[in-house]
Amino acid sequence: MAAIRKIKGPRGGSWLVQVRRKGHPTINRNFKTKVEAEQFAFDTESAMGKGVFVPASRDPSRRTLVKDIFERYRTEVAANKVNARKEQSVVLRLIANCDFMEKPISEVTGKDIANWRNQRLKKILPSSVNREWNTMSAVFKHSIKEWRYQIPGGNPCYDAKRPEGADRRRNSRWSDADIQAMMRATNWRADRLPQTCRDYIGWIMQIAVESAMRVGEICSIRAGDFHPDKRAIYLAHTKNGDDRWVPLSNKALSYFQFLA
């Protein structure tokens, strides 16, 4: 039988839950709200009744803190990605800005995610929050599927609403006037090899327009990736992790022939 009582404190106090059942150790837990306390009591008694209750001493999900999971993801998973530095940086920001990092991973809920979202929206744009959200969700997904940690409600990111405006489509396109302005700003010339950073920006812009490759993909190209006989560039590593061939227009082909 579970007993719930209010504990007085300087900040409104807390709610103490005590669960006693024959054949199981006595469970004592504190919660900020009565609703959380009642939910914990119900879930614990239900698990004991079904014979699936696992004491915290034997359940790594109830002993491992969220920050430890995120740090493990940063060193074991993010470090091996193509964009490792960027991904690791996002994980570090999450560790620094999430109030629930000191919680056991089994206790994180959609409410924690929603509170984090609301706080971040006060400092950064919805699109930036959404990118951090993607990484956070990936961490929880990996910890559940690969490391077998148990979160009662599953991935908590699925139980909260993403920030409004985060998935707004990018419909703007560069006009010829925009491109020409960029070329003038970089002092680009088709008959001059790049020497300075500004020169490279001009060439990257021209190649991007002709091939639709991403900036990161263009910057990763090596001499051996250019195949003039196939009129194509081979990209071994792309944003989604797959390799692909990029066909070249006549102008793009001439650019690479000149640069090679």
Side-chain angles (χ1 to χ4, degrees), residues 192-205:
R192 183 174 61 193
L193 290 171
Q195 300 292 332
T196 66
C197 290
R198 188 172 68 171
D199 296 335
Y200 278 101
I201 292 174
W203 278 104
I204 289 172
M205 182 68 184

Side-chain angles (χ1 to χ4, degrees), residues 203-224:
W203 278 104
I204 289 172
M205 182 68 184
Q206 289 288 353
I207 292 171
V209 169
E210 289 297 322
S211 66
M213 283 189 285
R214 300 181 178 93
V215 172
E217 294 171 344
I218 296 173
C219 292
S220 69
I221 295 173
R222 299 293 181 265

Side-chain angles (χ1 to χ4, degrees), residues 168-206:
R168 186 176 301 165
R169 293 183 178 182
R170 292 173 289 182
N171 295 320
S172 61
R173 298 186 61 181
W174 284 69
S175 66
D176 290 338
D178 294 329
I179 296 172
Q180 292 305 315
M182 175 67 78
M183 294 304 99
R184 288 194 296 273
T186 59
N187 197 27
W188 177 82
R189 283 174 47 184
D191 60 348
R192 183 174 61 193
L193 290 171
Q195 300 292 332
T196 66
C197 290
R198 188 172 68 171
D199 296 335
Y200 278 101
I201 292 174
W203 278 104
I204 289 172
M205 182 68 184
Q206 289 288 353

Side-chain angles (χ1 to χ4, degrees), residues 117 121 125-127 129-130 133 161-168:
R117 174 202 64 206
L121 285 173
L125 295 173
S127 57
V129 175
N130 194 51
W133 188 302
K161 185 179 179 181
R162 285 180 179 264
E164 294 184 4
D167 57 352
R168 186 176 301 165

Side-chain angles (χ1 to χ4, degrees), residues 18-252:
Q18 187 176 76
V19 182
R20 293 176 179 271
R21 192 182 181 97
K22 187 176 180 179
H24 294 278
T26 299
I27 307 298
N28 295 286
R29 289 289 302 278
N30 281 288
F31 294 90
K32 291 182 179 181
T33 67
K34 187 177 181 180
V35 173
E36 291 176 320
E38 291 174 336
Q39 185 64 52
F40 173 80
F42 175 81
D43 292 341
T44 303
E45 288 186 312
S46 177
M48 288 179 173
K50 295 176 181 177
V52 295
F53 175 76
V54 179
S57 59
R58 300 208 316 265
D59 184 3
S61 301
R62 299 167 67 181
R63 292 183 287 108
T64 305
L65 300 182
V66 177
K67 68 177 182 181
D68 296 329
I69 293 295
F70 274 63
E71 184 58 37
R72 181 181 176 184
Y73 183 90
R74 185 180 72 86
T75 56
E76 295 184 14
V77 181
N80 296 316
K81 292 191 174 185
V82 175
N83 57 341
R85 183 180 298 179
K86 181 179 179 181
E87 189 78 357
Q88 288 181 306
S89 177
V90 175
V91 174
L92 287 174
R93 285 203 304 274
L94 289 171
I95 293 174
N97 293 301
C98 293
D99 293 337
F100 55 82
M101 283 291 155
E102 296 297 331
K103 276 188 170 186
I105 189 172
S106 62
E107 296 181 13
V108 182
T109 66
K111 184 178 180 180
D112 293 312
I113 307 301
N115 290 337
W116 162 81
R117 174 202 64 206
N118 295 339
Q119 292 301 316
R120 291 298 281 161
L121 285 173
K122 296 177 182 178
K123 300 179 180 179
I124 58 178
L125 295 173
S127 57
S128 298
V129 175
N130 194 51
R131 283 191 291 272
E132 291 186 358
W133 188 302
N134 291 337
T135 299
M136 181 187 297
S137 183
V139 176
F140 284 120
K141 181 179 179 180
H142 190 90
S143 65
I144 293 170
K145 290 193 172 184
E146 299 296 329
W147 297 333
R148 299 300 178 184
Y149 284 98
Q150 300 296 317
I151 303 178
N155 190 333
C157 291
Y158 297 163
D159 290 332
K161 185 179 179 181
R162 285 180 179 264
E164 294 184 4
D167 57 352
R168 186 176 301 165
R169 293 183 178 182
R170 292 173 289 182
N171 295 320
S172 61
R173 298 186 61 181
W174 284 69
S175 66
D176 290 338
D178 294 329
I179 296 172
Q180 292 305 315
M182 175 67 78
M183 294 304 99
R184 288 194 296 273
T186 59
N187 197 27
W188 177 82
R189 283 174 47 184
D191 60 348
R192 183 174 61 193
L193 290 171
Q195 300 292 332
T196 66
C197 290
R198 188 172 68 171
D199 296 335
Y200 278 101
I201 292 174
W203 278 104
I204 289 172
M205 182 68 184
Q206 289 288 353
I207 292 171
V209 169
E210 289 297 322
S211 66
M213 283 189 285
R214 300 181 178 93
V215 172
E217 294 171 344
I218 296 173
C219 292
S220 69
I221 295 173
R222 299 293 181 265
D225 299 328
F226 175 44
H227 298 265
D229 55 323
K230 297 181 179 180
R231 298 175 60 90
I233 291 289
Y234 174 70
L235 298 176
H237 302 288
T238 61
K239 185 177 181 180
N240 60 14
D242 298 327
D243 61 338
R244 66 185 174 96
W245 287 89
V246 180
L248 300 176
S249 65
N250 290 334
K251 187 176 290 186

